[in-house]
Every structure is written in C-alpha cells, then in structure tokens.
C-alpha cells in the first residue's frame, strides 16, 4: 500500500470512531455572475475613477457596481424618456451618479429608436415595424469632456448589437479605460452586429483582451448559447504576465 493511501485509510479509521467521514474537497467553482466579475475586478486592484453604464435601463447594473466601486463617479446613458424617473431616483440615492437621456453613438445627432412594449427590448437598429421615435445621440467622449470626468474609466455596454458605433464615439475614452464589459451574442442580431468571437477580435485591435466571461444565457427552446457578457482589460495588463494554469 502506498504512503498516501495508508495515510488516508488511517485518517478515515480514526475519524470514523468519532462519527466523522473523510471526503475529498471539491474544487472551488467560480462565481460566473456579473457581480462576481465586478468584485474580482476590485479585488485585483483594477481602479476606476469613472464608471460609464451604456444601456442603463432602470440603473440595476449601476446599483451592483456601486457596491464595489462606491467612490467612483457614474454616468449612465439610456435613450428612453420612460427611464428618467428611475434614474432620477438613483441620482437622489447616490449623488455621484449622473445620467443622460440619449443613445450613445459615433457622432452627435438623432436616431430612430424602436420601442418595445417591455422597453428592455428597444433598439436603435432599424426594424420593419413597431413604435418608432427619434431620440438624441451623443458620444461617450463628448459627455466625458463636458463633465470633466476623470480617468481611468470602467465602461459597460448592454446595447443589443449597436456596440461598434458606440465604441467609435469612445475612441479617446478607450485609451484610458481599465475595464470594459460588453454583452455579446452568438447570433447576428442585424447586419452590423458582431458575434461574440468577432467582438473579441475587434477589441484586440483596440488594445483589449478577454479576461473572463460571465452570465452565459441559453436560448430557452433548444438550450443553444444566445448571449454572454465578456470582461476585457488592456492587453498589457499584468494579469496576463503568467502563462501557466497554476
């Protein structure tokens, strides 16, 4: 009998006399949720002086981020006027949170927004029918400059396939971004949208590398991957310095 096996058998025998059982410890399972990812970013020492929440809706994601980056300044973007009361309440609860009722894009102007009944599915991507209204467009770079918001930046996009114009309008901001989280998709939502692996390749050209993935969502009917959130950091991050698994 090998020594490790002898030690295990002896320990099991002794513990059993006292009513205990020796079992192998299960490997720790990572918390692959959005909150887990934000918490790990904080614990890794990633700093964020300004957090930008694009596609803010009622501000739920920002409330999660505030638990981990409470001292940062926040700027939220949402094109729906219906979201204003929720965002005003959030501002009253947290004076370091500001918001703009506009879509983020590549350049200032207007865009047609298709508004869904549940609001969450609303999109600036052209749709054949629906409740369509014009909404103002601004850029992340312009809003940061107007408010003198400090770097480094933590940028989150939940924008249903409209990521490329938003990133184009954040060219200066991305140069000083320490953390970037994008909702990405396994199906092409429209002709200009990128699949998740294409988004990883595109972010590589902008100087970012995938750090982790969280919140994978399977399509209910057939359990095929529909979307996932990808966490990016700059490619030169020291987190990539070690190439071994352990």
């Amino acid at each position: 009998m090998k020594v490790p096996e002898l030690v295990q058998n002896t320990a099991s025998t002794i513990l059993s006399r006292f009513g205990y059982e020796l079992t192998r410890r299960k490997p720790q399972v990572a918390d692959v949720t959005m909150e887990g990812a934000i918490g790990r970013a904080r614990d890794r020492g990633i700093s964020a002086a300004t957090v930008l929440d694009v596609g803010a809706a009622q501000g739920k994601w920002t409330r999660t981020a505030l638990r981990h980056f409470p001292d940062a300044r926040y700027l939220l973007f949402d094109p729906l006027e219906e979201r204003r009361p929720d965002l005003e309440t959030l501002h009253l609860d947290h004076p370091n949170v500001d918001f703009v009722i506009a879509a983020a894009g590549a350049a200032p102007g207007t865009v047609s927004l298709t508004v869904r009944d549940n609001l969450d599915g609303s999109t600036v991507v052209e749709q054949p029918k629906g409740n369509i209204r014009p909404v103002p467009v601004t850029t992340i770079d312009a809003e940061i400059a107007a408010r003198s918001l400090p770097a480094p930046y933590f940028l989150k996009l939940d924008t249903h396939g409209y990521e490329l114009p938003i990133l184009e309008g954040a060219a200066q901001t991305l140069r000083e971004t320490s953390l970037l989280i994008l909702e990405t998709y396994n199906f092409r939502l429209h002709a200009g949208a990128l699949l998740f692996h294409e988004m990883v390749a595109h972010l590589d050209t902008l100087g970012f590398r995938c750090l982790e993935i969280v919140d994978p969502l399977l399509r209910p009917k057939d359990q095929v991957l529909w979307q996932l959130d990808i966490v990016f950091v700059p490619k030169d991050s020291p987190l990539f310095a070690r190439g071994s698994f352990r």
Side-chain angles (χ1 to χ4, degrees):
M1 181 180 295
K2 296 181 180 180
V3 172
E5 187 179 351
L6 177 61
V7 172
Q8 180 178 339
N9 290 343
T10 302
S12 295
T13 300
I14 295 172
L15 288 172
S16 66
R17 294 174 182 174
F18 296 94
Y20 296 99
E21 180 181 0
L22 182 67
T23 59
R24 183 180 295 275
R25 185 174 61 184
K26 295 181 179 179
Q28 185 177 1
V29 178
D31 178 9
V32 290
T33 65
M34 180 64 72
E35 178 138 21
I38 298 173
R40 282 189 292 275
R42 176 206 58 208
D43 295 343
R44 287 166 173 146
I46 296 175
S47 59
T50 300
V51 180
L52 303 150
D53 182 356
V54 185
Q58 302 98 323
K60 181 179 178 180
W61 183 91
T62 285
R63 289 187 182 276
T64 298
L66 278 162
R67 291 196 284 270
H68 302 280
F69 292 92
D71 299 324
R73 293 179 66 178
Y74 285 75
L75 180 61
L76 285 60
F77 296 75
D78 199 277
L80 286 165
E81 186 64 36
E82 290 89 338
R83 300 300 193 192
R84 185 181 295 275
D86 289 318
L87 299 182
E88 287 178 341
T89 298
L90 180 55
H91 171 69
L92 290 174
D93 292 342
H94 301 276
N96 57 323
V97 174
D98 197 3
F99 66 91
V100 55
I101 300 297
T110 60
V111 70
S112 295
L113 179 73
T114 301
V115 182
R116 301 300 188 195
D117 291 341
N118 66 356
L119 299 182
D120 289 337
S122 301
T123 176
V124 298
V125 177
E126 185 175 351
Q127 300 292 310
K129 59 181 179 179
N131 176 11
I132 299 174
R133 72 175 74 151
V135 297
V137 178
T138 187
T139 70
I140 290 175
D141 284 348
E143 296 300 327
I144 285 178
R147 294 168 171 79
S148 300
L149 294 174
Y153 304 110
F154 172 6
L155 176 58
K156 165 263 185 182
L157 270 63
D158 179 357
T159 52
H160 304 163
Y162 195 62
E163 295 76 32
L164 291 182
I166 296 170
L167 293 172
E168 183 180 345
Q172 180 61 43
T173 301
L174 290 172
R175 296 189 184 100
E176 299 181 276
T177 292
S178 60
L179 188 65
L180 175 62
I181 301 181
L182 271 70
E183 183 178 271
T184 63
Y185 310 90
N186 195 33
F187 290 84
R188 204 171 301 281
L189 301 187
H190 63 90
L194 299 184
L195 302 183
F196 72 92
H197 65 280
E198 296 169 336
M199 184 62 74
V200 171
H202 180 67
L203 264 293
D204 181 77
T205 69
L206 298 179
F208 293 88
R209 180 173 170 181
C210 172
L211 181 66
E212 57 178 296
I213 62 173
V214 294
D215 288 345
L217 177 65
L218 304 183
R219 192 164 58 182
K221 186 175 181 179
D222 53 14
Q223 300 297 289
V224 172
L225 176 66
W226 177 256
Q227 69 182 48
L228 67 156
D229 288 278
I230 303 182
V231 182
F232 295 91
V233 294
K235 290 195 290 185
D236 61 0
S237 168
L239 292 167
F240 301 123
R242 183 169 55 87
S244 62
F245 179 71
R246 298 295 180 184

